[in-house]
Amino acid sequence: MTTSNKQAVGSGYVLEQMQLARERTWEVVDRVSKQIEPGMRESEAVAYCKDMIAELGADRIWHQVIVRFGENTLKTFKQRSDGDPVLRENDTFFIDLGIVWNGHEGDAGATYAVGHDDDMTACAAAARTLFDEVRHHWEATRASGSALYAFAEQRAEALGWRLNLDIKGHRVSDFPHAIYKAGDLGDFEHCPDVGLWILEIQIAHPTRPFGAFYEDLLV
């Protein structure tokens, strides 16, 4: 597939609508994150996400609702959670939502720590910091997708975290982006265009069994 096809969009695509879908999806993530608290089960958080998405009038979800607690924060998107854990007093969790608004795909994810575990708090913050560094590198250098993930791996190591390179970002567009079969951002050998690609960062603590995730649209 040619580069242009990998960055193709449908006749209804509007960049401003992609930005709106991004904002609306982050609204759900932010609202849900404030309601997740120790004692809640992972499945309860997923159900709350679905209720919030429906309440806010989304068109539909375009990928399954993902919430991970504790050790499940090491799981990739395609892996199932182990059991249905309860969020502990000192714990970490992330939310990953893919929602369609006005025919355009939003995709957002972030990690949060509860309680007083300094390592968990630092890990959640580091995922966002690493995302920001990679995004700034894209803006400054117009690097290819593969170069962005090579940079991310270097920076993660320098910051003391392990980057999960099984998670490499992906396309979005007016729904459904899947028809373009564009592959992962981390395998894209050209500079990603604005408003078409999700940069995903997933890291793990070097010795303890938890990680952090952060994703957002490159705009």
Side-chain angles (χ1 to χ4, degrees):
M1 182 175 285
T2 66
T3 300
S4 60
N5 286 340
K6 286 180 180 291
Q7 302 203 101
V9 296
S11 60
Y13 177 88
V14 178
L15 177 57
E16 290 76 14
Q17 287 296 323
M18 287 298 297
Q19 293 169 324
L20 179 61
R22 171 180 178 262
E23 293 168 5
R24 297 299 307 278
T25 303
W26 273 115
E27 179 183 358
V28 181
V29 171
D30 290 342
R31 286 194 183 195
V32 171
S33 70
K34 292 178 173 63
Q35 300 302 317
I36 295 177
E37 57 187 16
M40 180 180 286
R41 289 197 174 274
E42 207 174 75
S43 59
E44 293 174 321
V46 169
Y48 188 82
C49 283
K50 291 178 179 178
D51 289 345
M52 180 64 67
I53 290 166
E55 179 182 325
L56 293 178
D59 298 0
R60 54 170 293 160
I61 59 172
W62 67 264
H63 76 59
Q64 63 179 314
V65 171
I66 298 288
V67 182
R68 309 285 200 193
F69 287 178
E71 293 187 19
N72 284 335
T73 57
L74 294 170
K75 301 285 188 181
T76 66
F77 177 83
K78 294 181 180 179
Q79 293 174 314
R80 296 176 64 89
S81 284
D82 288 335
D84 187 16
V86 173
L87 194 70
R88 298 166 299 180
E89 291 295 327
N90 294 292
D91 214 339
T92 189
F93 68 91
F94 73 69
I95 302 166
D96 175 7
L97 301 180
I99 311 174
V100 180
W101 309 89
N102 297 327
H104 289 69
E105 297 169 342
D107 197 11
T111 303
Y112 305 86
V114 296
H116 306 287
D117 188 307
D118 290 343
D119 286 349
M120 289 179 174
T121 299
C123 191
R128 172 62 187 270
T129 295
L130 186 56
F131 176 93
D132 287 341
E133 288 193 10
V134 177
R135 177 171 55 83
H136 291 151
H137 186 68
W138 166 68
E139 293 171 338
T141 68
R142 310 308 296 166
S144 68
S146 56
L148 291 178
Y149 275 89
F151 176 78
E153 184 175 27
Q154 294 169 0
R155 291 301 303 144
E157 182 177 353
L159 293 169
W161 308 97
R162 293 188 289 111
L163 181 70
N164 185 351
L165 282 172
D166 290 331
I167 302 298
K168 295 185 183 178
H170 57 82
R171 269 294 314 270
V172 283
S173 69
D174 49 332
F175 181 78
H177 77 272
I179 62 176
Y180 303 118
K181 300 179 180 178
D184 294 338
L185 174 59
D187 297 325
F188 188 54
E189 294 300 331
H190 301 272
C191 177
D193 283 350
V194 169
L196 296 181
W197 295 90
I198 297 294
L199 173 65
E200 296 176 299
I201 297 294
Q202 187 168 23
I203 58 175
H205 189 278
T207 59
R208 298 180 62 191
F210 60 84
F213 176 77
Y214 194 91
E215 69 173 345
D216 199 358
L217 183 68
L218 285 176
V219 286

